[in-house]
Amino acid sequence: MKNTQEKNLKNDNLAAIGIGAMIVFIALILVAAVAAAVIIQTAEKLQQNAQSTGDDTTDEMSGKVQILNVFVNNDENFEVYFRLAAGSDDTADADILWQVFCDDGAGGMDRLAGDFGDSAVDPLDGGVAVTTIAAGTGYRTTIDADDAAGNDCGPNALFANNVPGTLYIHVVGGGTTYDVLKVNDDSIGSVVV
């Protein structure tokens, strides 16, 4: 009878080892599940950040004005020929802002600003003035670069002072374009380089 009791004790020891192995196995599965959840969450966050950055870049590059040419309109005004960049959405004329900066000839800086809604925006095909700029179409508008406060970056001032000006065009919610305005001839219709 003594042999039977020893066998039972031996079998009980093996069962305890099996239960311990099962607990370790379940713990490993739980750790792996938590690690997988963290990895999936991190990957999702990285994807969302990449999508957001891509959308912002697309908006900035496609919501932009391309300057086709600039001409002298009169002593105070430039005539700007432009179109929206490829892929841009139609944009209201008041959502296209401009700024002109120039040296005032006395060591100071003049700055003028406005939006394309300040003057008529005419399609280059000869159509009537518009208030919504459509992508793929060329337009022209006039920028008044002289104001009552004494800021003067108009063609006559740039030519007389022999200094260039800088034209910035900003699209609300989009990108910025700039062009250097160098007036070599201030007669009406002259190309501004």
Side-chain angles (χ1 to χ4, degrees), residues 99-171:
Q99 294 176 302
V100 177
F101 295 92
C102 68
D103 185 331
D104 66 1
M109 185 68 74
D110 283 346
R111 176 187 126 3
L112 296 114
D115 63 60
F116 280 13
D118 294 342
S119 63
V121 177
D122 300 312
L124 293 180
D125 65 6
V128 297
V130 298
T131 58
T132 300
I133 313 304
T137 304
Y139 296 93
R140 72 171 170 250
T141 192
T142 302
I143 291 178
D144 185 5
D146 185 11
D147 66 12
N151 293 305
D152 188 1
C153 292
N156 195 28
L158 295 181
F159 181 71
N161 294 333
N162 194 26
V163 295
T166 305
L167 170 64
Y168 291 91
I169 300 177
H170 313 281
V171 177

Side-chain angles (χ1 to χ4, degrees), residues 67 69-71 78 99-102 153 158 163-169 177-184 191-193:
I67 299 171
N69 218 332
V70 180
F71 297 96
F78 294 102
Q99 294 176 302
V100 177
F101 295 92
C102 68
C153 292
L158 295 181
V163 295
T166 305
L167 170 64
Y168 291 91
I169 300 177
T177 305
Y178 80 94
D179 201 359
V180 175
L181 305 174
K182 176 72 174 140
V183 179
N184 294 324
V191 176
V192 178
V193 182

